[in-house]
Amino acid sequence: MNEIIRCENITHYYGNKLIYKNINFDVEKGKILGLLGKNGTGKTTIINILNGYLTPTEGCCTIFGHDVRHQTPEDKARIGLLLEGHVQYTFFNVNQIERFYSRFYPNWNADAYYDLIKQLHIGEHQRISSMSCGQRSQVALGLLFAQDPELLILDDFSMGLDPGYRRLFIERLLEFVRNGNKTVFLTSHIIQDMEMLIDDCMVFDYGRVLLHKPTAEIMNTFCRYTFDSASEEIPPIVGLWHTARVGNQWETYSFQGEEMVRSLLNDYAIKNLVCHSHLSLEDAFIGLTGKY
Amino acid sequence: MEFFLSLSYKEWIKMRLFVAIVLALSLALLVYIYTDLAHQERMEGASLLVYKFITGYHVLNTFIKLPLIASLTLALSQFLPEMFNKRLKLTLHLPAHEYDIIGSMLMFGVLIYAAIMLLTYVALSITLSSFLPTEYVYIELMAFLLWAVAGLTVYGFTSAVCIEPTLHNKINIALIGISATVLSFWAEYVRATYLFPMTVVLAASGLLMSVYATSRFKRGIM
């Protein structure tokens, strides 16, 4: 079984509001999949579905081949969960929380936790409630490392972290994942963080999966084009994304090469077509989803 | 059993301050009862004190508040921190079946409550025995025990209100819980001991309501 996560025909409504219609995706073993999407496209909803905290209106997700609505204790032990905002039991102190979790997990590695905690220069008896958001994120990450799960599900891991802690989080996570052949499903609002972390990228739009491709492929082939045109309006064209006038120029995004883009825009008397390759993931995301 | 003990560690850390507060309240009430009885005995004499009991005086009526306050405090201290930032998701993600998890949490709460009531019961029996004949000590202690069982209704329904994910159902459960509590405490306050089985059924309903609310939380009902 190469797919750790498989979601098939997921449709979900909140009341009458459609969130997704028939979405399908897999996450292969050893891959880091980043889920991107604007606010309200259902990133946290899919995390809740994957953790069994929400039953989709239709469809089914499996993790390790088992329906997520009926996760066995053994499967739960194999999944590390980071909730949005690095939520943990703040009434514990640093030692107590380690002692608590260690009793539940057979592969518990206390050294992994304390190695990370030592670098934070915090006391063993400091309560989590008195820590900064960055310190709490490291405690949550240390607990995940100690649990040593096969799959990590991280919901908006960068929320509330300053750039230093975000970088620290990513570096440590990458080291842990690469050394242990772990699978990761994560979301984040800060797309530039994802760029150095994820193998595959899935972009949600309202109600559907817009794109699911390897990150390298997106960054190597997706380009922003600028051009001049006297046209007042250019309608949506298959193969071009979010064609719009910006100031005196037009811009569009495409996975196609320059010649193909030129031919797609042939009817609009374009001049000075320039391809801006090597987009950042954030630029590519804006190109795919639009600014609004 | 091992799972229950492991989970109990978290519950204890979370609740211990509030357990201490409830114990302190219990102690304060005991001191009050002792000084009140000692004062009445000194002022009116032991025989008049016993006569007051024969004619229907109940020294423990102040104590009816203890099971109510204790159960409410314990339920809130146990389940409000779980609902803050939806931490219950972390708890339900522990490697066990969700009914084992919520069952263990409720069992811990009930055991702590029972331990507090038992300690109070023992201290009360010692206090009352120094002033009253055995027959009246027995009557008063029976009343206290029945109130203690009625307190479990408050614990169960308060827990359910905390866990229930929708506001609409929270209100429904709260209204049912308040009615059940009033009925339980009224039955025991007027010493209608024949209604004791009803009190037990209401207490069990409250605890089952918490399990039901957990199942709704787990399914993500909004």
Side-chain angles (χ1 to χ4, degrees):
Chain A
M1 185 188 64
N2 207 28
E3 290 86 21
I4 299 295
I5 298 175
R6 167 162 282 182
C7 285
E8 291 180 305
N9 302 319
I10 298 293
T11 297
H12 193 68
Y13 287 86
Y14 284 126
N16 293 325
K17 189 188 173 195
L18 175 71
I19 305 298
Y20 321 113
K21 183 81 177 169
N22 279 330
I23 63 165
N24 295 277
F25 66 89
D26 296 331
V27 185
E28 287 179 20
K29 185 174 171 60
K31 292 283 185 185
I32 305 178
L33 176 83
L35 172 59
L36 310 183
K38 289 180 177 178
N39 291 336
T41 51
K43 298 187 295 295
T44 298
T45 299
I46 204 74
I47 297 261
N48 283 333
I49 289 172
L50 285 175
N51 289 316
Y53 290 120
L54 188 62
T55 306
T57 313
E58 284 173 31
C60 175
C61 285
T62 58
I63 293 182
F64 303 124
H66 302 134
D67 189 334
V68 295
R69 289 169 295 184
H70 311 291
Q71 278 175 349
T72 61
E74 292 74 23
D75 281 347
K76 285 191 201 175
R78 295 164 73 191
I79 303 169
L81 174 62
L82 183 79
L83 297 178
E84 190 174 341
H86 316 103
V87 171
Q88 267 304 339
Y89 302 110
T90 50
F91 44 81
F92 279 134
N93 68 29
V94 170
N95 278 353
Q96 287 167 339
I97 200 163
E98 189 279 325
R99 200 180 311 153
F100 169 66
Y101 278 113
S102 67
R103 300 174 189 193
F104 294 101
Y105 296 101
N107 301 328
W108 189 259
N109 179 4
D111 291 342
Y113 173 75
Y114 283 112
D115 285 349
L116 207 149
I117 292 298
K118 265 184 213 158
Q119 296 172 45
L120 292 179
H121 308 294
I122 49 176
E124 290 180 346
H125 300 289
Q126 182 169 346
R127 275 167 69 107
I128 293 165
S129 58
S130 67
M131 290 180 186
S132 70
C133 194
Q135 288 172 328
R136 277 208 305 274
S137 74
Q138 298 301 298
V139 169
L141 193 63
L143 292 168
L144 285 177
F145 291 173
Q147 182 191 337
D148 197 23
E150 291 170 48
L151 168 68
L152 291 103
I153 298 179
L154 315 177
D155 189 7
D156 207 352
F157 70 87
S158 52
M159 187 180 179
L161 301 185
D162 62 31
Y165 271 115
R166 287 207 318 266
R167 184 62 62 88
L168 202 60
F169 194 103
I170 289 167
E171 285 171 358
R172 284 172 179 164
L173 182 65
L174 263 179
E175 189 187 346
F176 175 73
V177 168
R178 298 299 183 215
N179 289 343
N181 193 29
K182 311 291 185 188
T183 308
V184 184
F185 183 94
L186 60 87
T187 69
S188 171
H189 270 94
I190 300 178
I191 296 166
Q192 69 206 53
D193 291 346
M194 304 275 243
E195 201 170 303
M196 48 186 130
L197 187 60
I198 59 177
D199 301 312
D200 290 332
C201 179
M202 184 161 63
V203 181
F204 272 12
D205 198 7
Y206 296 101
R208 65 195 175 117
V209 175
L210 198 62
L211 183 87
H212 184 177
K213 281 180 185 288
T215 313
E217 187 184 328
I218 296 171
M219 295 180 69
N220 290 335
T221 59
F222 197 60
C223 291
R224 175 173 163 259
Y225 292 90
T226 53
F227 56 92
D228 297 322
S229 171
S231 303
E232 283 299 310
E233 191 183 345
I234 299 177
I237 297 169
V238 175
L240 301 182
W241 302 68
H242 295 99
T243 307
R245 183 186 283 280
V246 181
N248 296 326
Q249 275 202 311
W250 283 83
E251 73 171 16
T252 191
Y253 294 83
S254 182
F255 283 101
Q256 307 297 334
E258 198 171 325
E259 284 313 306
M260 178 58 84
V261 170
R262 197 182 294 279
S263 71
L264 288 169
L265 292 166
N266 206 25
D267 296 342
Y268 303 97
I270 65 162
K271 288 185 286 186
N272 305 326
L273 181 71
V274 178
C275 171
H276 305 270
S277 55
H278 305 295
L279 298 183
S280 68
L281 190 60
E282 186 167 292
D283 289 337
F285 173 75
I286 288 170
L288 288 163
T289 62
K291 290 171 188 160
Y292 301 105
Chain B
M1 188 62 184
E2 196 183 327
F3 177 81
F4 172 72
L5 291 175
S6 303
L7 196 64
S8 296
Y9 178 66
K10 169 170 78 77
E11 302 307 297
W12 174 245
I13 297 288
K14 190 168 55 178
M15 296 169 72
R16 57 188 176 179
L17 174 67
F18 298 93
V19 171
I21 290 170
V22 171
L23 279 171
L25 177 71
S26 171
L27 184 67
L29 282 171
L30 280 165
V31 170
Y32 171 76
I33 293 285
Y34 181 86
T35 49
D36 185 41
L37 287 175
H39 177 73
Q40 289 191 53
E41 190 184 55
R42 198 167 54 246
M43 300 301 287
E44 299 166 5
S47 52
L48 192 60
L49 182 62
V50 172
Y51 177 75
K52 281 174 78 175
F53 275 86
I54 292 169
T55 53
Y57 173 73
H58 292 297
V59 72
L60 281 190
N61 281 356
T62 325
F63 249 86
I64 197 165
K65 296 187 189 88
L66 182 70
L68 194 69
I69 294 169
S71 52
L72 195 66
T73 307
L74 293 180
L76 291 176
S77 68
Q78 191 175 14
F79 288 101
L80 274 186
E82 294 286 338
M83 302 323 291
F84 186 68
N85 282 336
K86 296 194 175 174
R87 283 191 200 119
L88 189 60
K89 283 183 181 178
L90 289 175
T91 306
L92 293 178
H93 188 68
L94 291 171
H97 291 289
E98 65 196 58
Y99 293 119
D100 291 344
I101 295 170
I102 192 65
S104 298
M105 289 172 79
L106 290 169
M107 195 197 294
F108 182 83
V110 169
L111 285 176
I112 287 286
Y113 174 76
I116 292 170
M117 290 299 122
L118 187 67
L119 276 174
T120 310
Y121 177 89
V122 172
L124 252 183
S125 64
I126 294 167
T127 308
L128 294 179
S129 299
S130 30
F131 297 101
L132 297 172
T134 315
E135 293 79 4
Y136 291 100
V137 172
Y138 173 77
I139 290 168
E140 292 298 307
L141 288 178
M142 273 311 289
F144 176 73
L145 268 185
L146 298 177
W147 291 338
V149 175
L152 285 176
T153 309
V154 180
Y155 173 79
F157 279 100
T158 307
S159 306
V161 169
C162 290
I163 299 166
E164 166 58 39
T166 67
L167 180 64
H168 176 76
N169 252 29
K170 272 183 197 289
I171 294 168
N172 287 341
I173 295 170
L175 290 175
I176 297 169
I178 290 167
S179 308
T181 303
V182 169
L183 202 59
S184 300
F185 276 94
W186 169 80
E188 308 312 348
Y189 186 74
V190 297
R191 267 79 166 168
T193 46
Y194 59 92
L195 290 176
F196 179 66
M198 178 198 72
T199 311
V200 173
V201 169
L202 290 175
S205 308
L207 295 171
L208 286 174
M209 193 65 87
S210 299
V211 177
Y212 171 66
T214 305
S215 145
R216 285 169 53 81
F217 177 89
K218 181 71 172 61
R219 282 179 287 144
I221 289 172
M222 297 174 83

